[in-house]
Every structure is written in C-alpha cells, then in structure tokens.
Amino acid sequence: MNAIDEQVSREIVQNFRAQLEAMVAGDTVQLAHLLTGAFTLTHTSGYVQAKSEWMQQIEDGVFDYQDAEEVCTSVHTDGDNSVLTSDVVVRATVYGDHDAWPLRFTVDFTCVGGAWLASRSTVTTF
C-alpha cells in the first residue's frame, strides 16, 4: 500500500469511527456531515433506508445506540472509491428491543470535495 492509499484508509477509518461515536451520542447533525446527501442504509432485514428517515428515527429514539465496540476493520481503495468493512458489536434499543448485535458494516465511501464521505452502508450479521 502506498502512502496515499494509507492516508485515504486512515481518513475513511476516522470517518467511520466518528459515525459510530455520533450514533452512540445521538448526534444526527455530526452524523449527517459524515454522509453524502444520497446516503442509504441497508438494514439486516434488507430494508433500504434514506439518510433523512434514519436521522429522524435516531432523533425520535426509535434507534437508540448505547455502545459500538469495533472488532476489526479493513479498507479497500480503488481510485476515488473505497469500501470499508467493519465488524462491530452494537448495543442498542431498536423498536423497543434491547440487545447486543454483532454487525458487519460494509460502507462505500466517495471522495467529495476532498473529503471521504459514506455514500452507502449495508449491515449484516457476523
């Protein structure tokens, strides 16, 4: 991996970790800045959710994240597109159900105006 790819990987990992921190803090303003306008989240159920709907559900407490413990993370970069894969144990209350879920995030990142932003996140279990 060359120095540019290493820097890109660091920026992407920083963005993802900031996403997790914002989710736990319930800080949708900060979270929104880390995502593209057209960002979508595909849940484990297969439901594809728009950024605005997800932000509203966080604000309404439908998604209440208490903790996110990163297990392992990797980044693959190809030009202006990168994919982060991260296994994270997420403790949350979702639609009233509280649990700790082992989730694998596969996140597409795009360079927008010099900043790496998440454009799509797909969540499965590991």
Side-chain angles (χ1 to χ4, degrees), residues 1 25 104:
M1 183 182 292
R104 174 163 293 146

Side-chain angles (χ1 to χ4, degrees), residues 34-108:
L34 301 167
L35 314 173
T36 64
F39 173 86
T40 60
L41 171 62
T42 303
H43 293 274
T44 57
S45 65
Y47 178 68
V48 179
Q49 188 171 41
K51 174 182 173 179
S52 60
E53 181 184 6
W54 185 41
M55 297 296 109
Q56 189 61 55
Q57 288 187 328
I58 292 171
E59 290 173 5
D60 293 344
V62 175
F63 286 90
D64 180 13
Y65 302 98
Q66 288 94 39
D67 187 43
E69 181 183 336
E70 186 179 348
V71 177
C72 65
T73 299
S74 64
V75 177
H76 174 74
T77 300
D78 183 17
D80 287 341
N81 297 300
S82 292
V83 177
L84 172 141
T85 303
S86 186
D87 292 346
V88 181
V89 177
V90 176
R91 287 170 187 74
T93 304
V94 179
Y95 294 105
D97 292 330
H98 178 76
D99 209 338
W101 287 278
L103 301 177
R104 174 163 293 146
F105 291 80
T106 303
V107 187
D108 294 343

